[in-house]
């Protein structure tokens, strides 16, 4: 039967919210019910950015996390989940672009796209073992750091070979030399991938010549090239190497971003990025410093911490947990999904 209520009259509707089954059949209802408890994945939970890459030709920024990758539009800041592996949960360690190809490195796999991220294939890595950390190219070779050494292979052919065996190398940087940072503080460099020189251990008292001279290590979180030096984002301030990491007399200098060396050494920098003669460093307190070639500018954000920071055109994008702050916007953007993953 159909029942119509006149729209001109006032109608009060009363609802009884049921929290047990005592009511059942009390009013001789013909409606039956079934109680069902469902546990399901509520969606892609973006908790912590682990890698970022600006893909200018596609107007997007790829952001890795502990369970996958999202793509953020640089036009309208919309974001989508990137299906690079069948939407399987994987800890993303690195995202790189080389020779118009995109690469995503996870704990256990390497994926490649030759069409700006539209389609992806999984690279076969039969000789590699351990947990992967970073991918770089250096003088015609692919290089991957792992928790049991560094593996390298020619770009076109060949097979993977291991160096620095039984050594956990989380950070790799390629420039004129290849730099590896073991256990966050021990610095090695190589000119040919095969032969490695121990440059020293980064400590509160400087860079020591031997591992035994332990003065309390400084953890390196990120490495970038700036002109002819290396910039280091560390848990004891922003530092540079004075072009010494490739010598037998490795050293670092603290950059006085605050005009007070004591204060500057107490700042934890999580990430850095470089654009021409300018660079930016993001801190664990949610603010960042920009060096314009002559002075430093400190900018506060709504973020509780900045884990990753990157230049996107004329903007600076800072990522902290599930939040994004774009320098040209007056507000922060929450990264949240409500779709199955």
């Amino acid at each position: 039967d159909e029942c119509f209520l006149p729209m001109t009259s006032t109608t009060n509707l009363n609802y009884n919210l049921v929290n047990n089954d005592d009511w059942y059949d009390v009013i001789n209802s013909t409606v039956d019910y079934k109680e069902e408890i469902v546990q399901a994945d509520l969606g892609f939970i973006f908790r912590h950015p682990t890698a970022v890459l600006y893909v200018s030709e596609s107007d997007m920024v790829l952001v890795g996390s502990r369970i996958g990758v999202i793509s953020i539009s640089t036009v309208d800041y919309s974001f989508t989940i990137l299906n690079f592996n069948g939407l399987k949960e994987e800890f993303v360690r690195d995202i790189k672009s080389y020779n118009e190809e995109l690469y995503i490195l996870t704990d256990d796999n390497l994926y490649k796209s030759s069409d700006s991220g539209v389609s992806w294939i999984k690279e076969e890595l039969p000789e590699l073992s351990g947990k992967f950390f970073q991918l770089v190219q250096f003088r015609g070779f692919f290089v991957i750091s792992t928790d049991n050494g560094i593996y390298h292979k020619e770009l076109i052919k060949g097979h993977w070979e291991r160096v620095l065996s039984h050594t956990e190398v989380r950070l790799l940087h390629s420039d004129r030399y290849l730099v590896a940072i073991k256990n966050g503080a021990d610095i090695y460099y190589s000119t040919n991938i095969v032969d490695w020189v121990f440059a020293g251990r980064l400590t509160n008292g400087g860079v020591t010549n031997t591992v035994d001279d332990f003065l309390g290590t400084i953890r390196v979180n990120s490495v970038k090239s700036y002109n002819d030096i290396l910039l280091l984002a560390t848990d004891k301030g922003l530092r540079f190497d004075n072009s010494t990491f490739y010598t037998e007399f490795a050293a670092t200098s603290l950059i006085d971003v605050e005009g007070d060396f004591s204060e500057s050494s107490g700042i934890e920098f999580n990430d850095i990025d470089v654009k021409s003669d300018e660079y930016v460093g993001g801190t664990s307190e949610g603010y960042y410093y920009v060096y314009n070639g002559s002075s430093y500018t400190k900018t506060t954000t709504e973020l509780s911490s900045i884990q990753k920071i990157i230049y996107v055109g004329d903007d600076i994008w800072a990522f902290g947990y599930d939040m994004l702050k774009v320098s040209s916007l007056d507000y922060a953007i929450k990264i949240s999904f409500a779709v199955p993953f």
Side-chain angles (χ1 to χ4, degrees), residues 31-312:
V31 179
D32 206 341
Y33 82 102
K34 179 176 67 173
E35 182 179 288
E36 184 176 2
I37 299 175
V38 176
Q39 290 183 329
D41 193 342
L42 298 180
F44 186 104
I45 309 299
F46 190 92
R47 295 295 190 196
H48 189 286
T50 58
V52 292
L53 176 69
Y54 173 37
V55 187
S56 59
E57 57 270 21
S58 301
D59 295 323
M60 67 178 180
V61 174
L62 299 181
V63 187
S65 73
R66 296 176 183 271
I67 59 174
V69 176
I70 62 171
S71 171
I72 304 179
S73 168
T74 61
V75 178
D76 60 8
Y77 309 110
S78 60
F79 37 83
T80 58
I81 299 171
L82 185 69
N83 184 6
F84 67 96
N85 63 350
L87 296 180
K88 181 178 65 173
E89 290 191 8
E90 290 192 74
F91 195 130
V92 176
R93 294 289 183 173
D94 203 4
I95 307 176
K96 290 288 177 59
S97 176
Y98 293 115
N99 302 320
E100 299 183 351
E101 292 182 320
L102 299 177
Y103 295 89
I104 294 176
L105 184 72
T106 70
D107 266 352
D108 306 296
N109 295 297
L110 176 64
Y111 300 88
K112 182 179 75 172
S113 173
S114 301
D115 52 12
S116 299
V118 176
S119 60
W120 296 81
I121 61 171
K122 185 170 76 170
E123 296 283 280
E124 297 299 325
L125 307 174
E127 296 93 357
L128 271 69
S129 64
K131 182 184 297 183
F132 306 158
F133 292 120
Q134 275 199 303
L135 167 74
V136 300
Q137 281 191 12
F138 179 72
R139 298 186 179 181
F141 287 87
F142 279 118
V143 187
I144 292 179
S145 63
T146 76
D147 62 358
N148 66 1
I150 294 175
Y151 292 82
H152 62 90
K153 182 184 82 69
E154 292 184 29
L155 299 181
I156 305 301
K157 59 182 180 179
H159 60 278
W160 293 92
E161 298 181 11
R162 185 170 63 170
V163 293
L164 284 182
S165 301
H166 311 297
T167 298
E168 180 179 274
V169 179
R170 288 182 176 267
L171 293 178
L172 278 177
H173 180 74
S174 62
D175 197 347
R176 292 176 299 155
Y177 295 80
L178 188 62
V179 175
I181 299 180
K182 167 191 169 185
N183 298 328
D186 295 339
I187 303 160
Y188 293 79
Y189 71 89
S190 175
T191 59
N192 59 12
I193 300 180
V194 177
D195 302 309
W196 290 82
V197 177
F198 175 61
R201 167 174 284 187
L202 207 59
T203 75
N204 289 317
V207 179
T208 63
N209 293 325
T210 65
V211 176
D212 294 332
D213 295 333
F214 185 78
L215 298 173
T217 59
I218 293 176
R219 187 182 71 248
V220 180
N221 296 318
S222 180
V223 182
K224 290 289 172 64
S225 294
Y226 176 72
N227 295 333
D228 292 326
I229 64 174
L230 289 182
L231 281 172
L232 309 174
T234 81
D235 63 344
K236 299 293 191 301
L238 192 62
R239 297 171 180 265
F240 59 89
D241 79 324
N242 300 308
S243 299
T244 63
F245 277 10
Y246 316 128
T247 71
E248 296 179 0
F249 306 99
T252 64
S253 296
L254 175 68
I255 300 175
D256 188 9
V257 297
E258 281 288 347
D260 183 292
F261 279 102
S262 179
E263 288 188 23
S264 297
S265 66
I267 301 172
E268 181 173 0
F269 283 84
N270 291 324
D271 197 23
I272 44 180
D273 197 27
V274 175
K275 184 180 75 170
S276 187
D277 290 332
E278 180 178 306
Y279 60 80
V280 59
T283 74
S284 61
E285 298 298 320
Y287 48 84
Y288 59 82
Y289 294 86
V290 176
Y291 180 69
N292 63 7
S294 60
S295 61
Y296 290 89
T297 301
K298 179 180 178 181
T299 299
T300 302
T301 72
E302 297 92 331
L303 309 182
S304 61
S305 179
I306 296 175
Q307 282 99 29
K308 292 295 177 182
I309 197 161
I310 188 173
Y311 283 102
V312 178

